[in-house]
Amino acid sequence: MSHLQLTSSLSWEMTLSKILRPAMPATLADYVTLAAIVGVTAWWLYENHLKASDPYHHLWFECPQQQGENNRPETRRVTNIAEYMDMVNKNIVIFWGSQSGTSEAFAHRLARELHSRYGQETLAADPSDFDATTISLLGKSRLAIFIISTYGEGEPTDNVMGLWNWVQNAASSSVQGLRYAAFGLGNSNYKNYNRAVDCLVEQLSRLGAEAVSPLEKGDDATNTTEEDFMVWKENLFKSLVRKVGLEERENTYEPVLLVQEDESLTDLHLGQPEEVTDSLRSVHNNSPVRILKVIETQKLFDSSDRQCHHLELDISKNPELIYKTGDHLGIWPSNPDSEVKRLLKMLGLEERRNNPIRITSIDLVTKVPVPTPTTIEAILRYYLEICGLVPRDILPSLATFAPTNSAKAYISNLGEDKEAYSSFMNGRYMNIGRLLEFVCPSGTWSSLPLSYLLDILPRMQPRYYSISSSSSVSPRRLSITVAVAGLPVQTENEVISGVTTNYLLCLSNSRGSGSSSKPLSYQLGGPSNMLGGDKIYAHIRRSKFKLPALGSSPLIMVAAGTGLAPFRGFLKERSKLMSIGRPVGSMILFFGCRNEEEYIYHKELQEMQSILGQKLVVVTAFSRSPGQPREYVQDCIVEHGNEVVQFLDQDARFYICGRASMALEARRVLVNLLVQKKGMSEAESDEWCKSLKRGNKWQEDVWG
């Protein structure tokens, strides 16, 4: 605090003390004066301290529709969906519920195809932008389509909460006459597979809405979500032709975005991530995106086809970042150099890669998906997901830009023939750049506009990792555990790995703790070298995966692979409690991996066992140990069934972290245990497990 500030503060306090010196106000005027002083003081504290400490304070005073440089306030202030569709002349609305961007991408693809094939004026809409109750005003003349992902354990995504709450509580027949269709995205390894869309459809039916096409679901567990979506989409089109009278026309590409090069543009967005502020709920759950320094990297193992790394990051220079044990770290990657270079070459844009461009919306309702103004390279390196597989349904439109007739015919056939596409993709990893190169290796796709890529490619999304440190032990230093596995490709002598895992592997290699194999190269310095010196863009996401408030509560922990990460933080926290003489409950950890070589944090677990003594039992399962039968964590739960039931009888908390398939098996064997050991029926056992979840005594952090 400066001398001037200190003097001013002391002067204010002295003045206040003189005013308040009388023991009690005696007259009405005294009461008014005192109230005014209190009010002014509260305002001063709010403006100078509370308000300034909240980086998202402005969001409380903005409509979500008004955020973003290219949105148009004159139309987006409207939260009545029926009124809004009248204003922008749309007759079909596609509501998407998305946590990772897949449903949103599907909604935009469907909207584009309904317009290009059938001439329909279609709006892809975030339901959080509108008052859900106004859906009842859409009437028979419009169609509502819902593409809804199920998140976590059967929960709706953040942006669907308003719609979810309304449809659960709306009066009967409140959407009488509404015509709708729905598609769900989920994973059948989860117990509540596609529960969000099931509940939505059930409630819409209760409220009097009419389905124009049967509900269908995509299953990520079988890697068929794309094809499931396409099958549903074609069935939907047939239903709309039959029931609504749509007529197919020649499929032509009509851009909705205008990309203009302009050398005079300044203040360019060169790769800095956009804040995660889609809704007030996401603002509450996500910290601001910040630059964090990686201060330690360690290779945990490096086998023939996979490896695992431990990274520690310093958050001491970011006092606004606060994490709790069990939270997630969202990392914002970039695309690898080879894929950026490949796509620039195939588009004929190498010479213009750094040209400033401005992107504007031609259509009233289309949001510009990336920050603008920017450069061509920044879009391809930082803002678009260029490494994802090319879906079959975009191939017909992509074929119209082919540089040769043979390339056009080849791509058209892949788009029209499911078997040909499946055969072509088998053993190949064809992202957009690789596909263009494969079909026309010696030419360029110079007629393919950048606006088309902005239209068909998803925005870059953060990838989330469980924090493996304890906020009680190291509050200003957090760690994550990253597994890197590759997908072999037949056509080239290389392995394709995840965008973010390879990005972090490249960073580890640059620090001398990476793999002996050469990973893909990345621009580790980031935009304008802002990430030089081992830094990354990241933010903290709050998680419900938490230790109980009482350290004396018993714990059952089930993990496989990097699912051990949050339990490392849990055990570090319990070890600290033990070391300072606080009561600690008994714990049993079931951990599975392939073999001893991949037993991550083995030495640390032994050290924590020496601190915790009999309070911690670690049971391991190795699925590929040489000369030994395969064993998985669910097998160990059965073997130690008596101890597990005893723990549960002692009001233990039950945690699972790892792949969804493992979690499904762990749930199954636990239900069977309760049937066998406690004499419950299967229905009673299942209900008992549900009651644990309702009481927050059963928690899962699972993926895939």
Side-chain angles (χ1 to χ4, degrees):
M1 184 180 290
S2 68
H3 175 71
L4 180 60
Q5 289 174 314
L6 181 60
T7 303
S8 175
S9 177
L10 289 173
S11 175
W12 172 254
E13 291 174 7
M14 291 173 64
T15 303
L16 186 59
S17 67
K18 288 179 181 179
I19 294 172
L20 298 179
R21 189 170 295 158
M24 290 291 290
T27 68
L28 179 61
D30 292 335
Y31 280 109
V32 172
T33 302
L34 180 60
I37 292 170
V38 171
V40 170
T41 303
W43 172 85
W44 183 83
L45 288 170
Y46 173 76
E47 286 292 320
N48 292 278
H49 294 281
L50 299 178
K51 176 179 173 181
S53 67
D54 182 2
Y56 293 131
H57 175 267
H58 64 283
L59 289 175
W60 294 97
F61 305 97
E62 291 183 6
C63 293
Q65 299 88 351
Q66 291 177 303
Q67 298 167 16
E69 180 180 341
N70 294 283
N71 295 336
R72 305 187 181 187
E74 66 271 17
T75 59
R76 292 195 175 273
R77 277 196 293 266
V78 179
T79 59
N80 181 319
I81 183 60
E83 182 182 344
Y84 183 75
M85 291 179 72
D86 281 339
M87 291 179 62
V88 296
N89 192 31
K90 302 294 181 183
N91 63 329
I92 299 176
V93 57
I94 306 170
F95 290 113
W96 51 266
S98 188
Q99 205 74 12
S100 62
T102 305
S103 294
E104 181 182 3
F106 280 178
H108 285 284
R109 281 161 53 184
L110 178 59
R112 183 176 63 250
E113 196 163 354
L114 278 167
H115 180 71
S116 61
R117 286 180 61 177
Y118 298 98
Q120 297 303 297
E121 298 301 329
T122 308
L123 166 68
D126 182 341
S128 68
D129 284 348
F130 299 95
D131 179 356
T133 63
T134 62
I135 293 175
S136 62
L137 304 176
L138 290 175
K140 293 184 178 181
S141 61
R142 301 185 185 91
L143 175 70
I145 300 174
F146 300 90
I147 301 179
I148 304 295
S149 294
T150 294
Y151 172 63
E153 281 302 299
E155 302 171 15
T157 58
D158 289 348
N159 71 315
V160 175
M161 288 306 298
L163 169 64
W164 180 264
N165 291 332
W166 167 71
V167 80
Q168 297 291 329
N169 299 304
S172 297
S173 303
S174 58
V175 292
Q176 191 75 40
L178 174 69
R179 296 180 303 175
Y180 78 95
F183 179 77
L185 288 84
N187 186 310
S188 59
N189 285 328
Y190 290 79
K191 181 175 179 59
N192 295 308
Y193 169 57
N194 262 307
R195 177 175 177 268
V197 76
D198 280 340
C199 290
L200 176 67
V201 168
E202 179 183 331
Q203 293 301 318
L204 286 173
S205 177
R206 176 183 68 85
L207 298 174
E210 174 195 353
V212 298
S213 185
L215 167 66
E216 295 188 34
K217 306 167 187 177
D219 188 0
D220 194 47
T222 55
N223 294 317
T224 58
T225 301
E226 278 284 348
E227 280 299 331
D228 294 335
F229 170 70
M230 292 183 63
V231 169
W232 168 80
K233 183 183 64 174
E234 289 303 321
N235 289 335
L236 172 65
F237 290 163
K238 291 175 183 177
S239 294
L240 294 178
V241 168
R242 186 174 65 256
K243 295 181 179 181
V244 184
L246 296 192
E247 295 183 2
E248 189 165 2
R249 64 178 188 176
E250 183 181 356
N251 192 345
T252 57
Y253 170 67
E254 297 179 24
V256 294
L257 297 171
L258 177 65
V259 180
Q260 297 172 299
E261 294 187 26
D262 185 348
E263 292 289 344
S264 68
L265 293 172
T266 57
D267 298 324
L268 304 178
H269 297 268
L270 298 176
Q272 300 87 340
E274 292 185 287
E275 302 283 353
V276 186
T277 57
D278 290 339
S279 65
L280 288 178
R281 183 177 176 184
S282 68
V283 168
H284 175 74
N285 288 337
N286 295 283
S287 78
V289 178
R290 292 292 183 260
I291 295 176
L292 303 182
K293 184 174 178 60
V294 177
I295 52 178
E296 182 179 331
T297 56
Q298 177 187 355
K299 182 169 60 179
L300 300 178
F301 71 79
D302 186 359
S303 61
S304 59
D305 61 343
R306 67 167 85 189
Q307 50 193 290
C308 188
H309 293 259
H310 174 86
L311 286 78
E312 299 203 3
L313 301 96
D314 180 18
I315 60 173
S316 60
K317 295 183 179 179
N318 303 97
E320 72 278 17
L321 297 188
I322 299 173
Y323 83 95
K324 297 294 184 184
T325 308
D327 282 346
H328 300 125
L329 186 71
I331 294 179
W332 294 80
S334 64
N335 288 309
D337 293 338
S338 57
E339 298 302 332
V340 175
K341 181 179 179 181
R342 188 195 317 271
L343 189 50
L344 284 168
K345 178 184 176 182
M346 296 314 300
L347 296 173
L349 295 174
E350 290 175 296
E351 300 288 327
R352 296 151 53 196
R353 63 196 302 161
N354 294 316
N355 288 9
I357 58 173
R358 176 187 285 112
I359 307 164
T360 53
S361 175
I362 298 173
D363 183 78
L364 274 175
V365 301
T366 301
K367 297 179 182 180
V368 175
V370 300
T372 181
T374 182
T375 66
I376 295 170
E377 180 171 357
I379 288 175
L380 301 184
R381 185 176 295 280
Y382 298 108
Y383 292 130
L384 292 181
E385 299 270 10
I386 68 170
C387 294
L389 285 170
V390 178
R392 183 165 63 89
D393 63 347
I394 74 163
L395 296 181
S397 60
L398 180 63
T400 62
F401 304 108
T404 66
N405 289 333
S406 60
K408 180 178 181 179
Y410 191 89
I411 291 185
S412 295
N413 180 61
L414 291 179
E416 295 166 1
D417 189 333
K418 176 182 176 180
E419 296 303 322
Y421 174 83
S422 178
S423 175
F424 173 74
M425 286 294 189
N426 184 30
R428 296 187 176 96
Y429 194 93
M430 284 292 169
N431 57 35
I432 186 69
R434 290 169 180 266
L435 179 64
L436 301 183
E437 185 179 58
F438 182 87
V439 174
C440 199
S442 59
T444 60
W445 294 62
S446 55
S447 63
L448 197 160
L450 193 59
S451 61
Y452 178 79
L453 294 185
L454 287 164
D455 196 18
I456 66 166
L457 295 179
R459 293 174 296 172
M460 182 70 81
Q461 299 284 340
R463 273 64 165 181
Y464 290 98
Y465 296 85
S466 295
I467 293 175
S468 55
S469 53
S470 163
S471 57
S472 296
V473 177
S474 56
R476 308 311 300 158
R477 177 171 173 153
L478 61 80
S479 65
I480 58 173
T481 310
V482 181
V484 185
L487 173 70
V489 178
Q490 291 180 356
T491 54
E492 299 179 49
N493 186 25
E494 63 177 314
V495 170
I496 302 297
S497 298
V499 169
T500 309
T501 52
N502 236 333
Y503 170 65
L504 296 174
L505 175 60
C506 185
L507 177 61
S508 289
N509 272 16
S510 72
R511 293 177 52 85
S513 58
S515 166
S516 56
S517 60
K518 185 178 180 181
L520 297 174
S521 65
Y522 288 76
Q523 292 293 322
L524 294 178
S528 304
N529 203 38
M530 295 180 70
L531 302 181
D534 302 334
K535 299 183 180 74
I536 61 173
Y537 283 114
H539 71 274
I540 294 167
R541 183 177 72 179
R542 292 186 181 183
S543 167
K544 297 178 182 178
F545 199 73
K546 300 296 182 193
L547 279 166
L550 293 176
S552 56
S553 295
L555 307 179
I556 302 171
M557 298 167 283
V558 182
T562 54
L564 183 61
F567 297 137
R568 175 181 183 265
F570 284 14
L571 293 175
K572 281 185 173 292
E573 198 149 310
R574 285 285 175 97
S575 297
K576 181 178 179 180
L577 287 175
M578 190 79 165
S579 66
I580 61 176
R582 299 288 295 277
V584 171
S586 298
M587 296 166 285
I588 183 168
L589 168 65
F590 296 100
F591 172 62
C593 58
R594 297 202 303 188
N595 48 50
E596 285 275 3
E597 182 187 3
E598 298 186 7
Y599 189 169
I600 58 176
Y601 301 122
H602 188 184
K603 185 177 180 180
E604 286 190 21
L605 283 176
Q606 290 176 326
E607 292 170 352
M608 288 187 281
Q609 275 186 295
S610 67
I611 296 172
L612 293 164
Q614 295 181 347
K615 293 291 184 180
L616 174 64
V617 174
V618 179
V619 180
T620 55
F622 300 120
S623 61
R624 299 187 189 180
S625 188
Q628 299 294 324
R630 294 195 174 198
E631 189 173 35
Y632 300 93
V633 286
Q634 56 266 29
D635 301 321
C636 293
I637 294 174
V638 174
E639 292 168 12
H640 294 262
N642 289 331
E643 296 99 309
V644 170
V645 171
Q646 288 172 10
F647 265 74
L648 292 172
D649 285 341
Q650 296 165 12
D651 200 29
R653 269 53 172 178
F654 188 78
Y655 297 88
I656 305 178
C657 187
R659 291 199 171 275
S661 54
M662 178 276 293
L664 187 66
E665 285 300 307
R667 286 193 294 265
R668 181 184 61 79
V669 298
L670 185 62
V671 168
N672 291 340
L673 267 180
L674 295 173
V675 171
Q676 296 169 11
K677 304 290 184 181
K678 296 179 73 68
M680 294 181 178
S681 68
E682 188 170 333
E684 289 172 333
S685 175
D686 189 58
E687 178 55 34
W688 190 78
C689 293
K690 288 179 180 177
S691 70
L692 287 182
K693 292 184 180 181
R694 288 193 295 267
N696 210 32
K697 296 179 180 180
W698 179 316
Q699 298 181 38
E700 298 185 3
D701 186 355
V702 299
W703 59 88

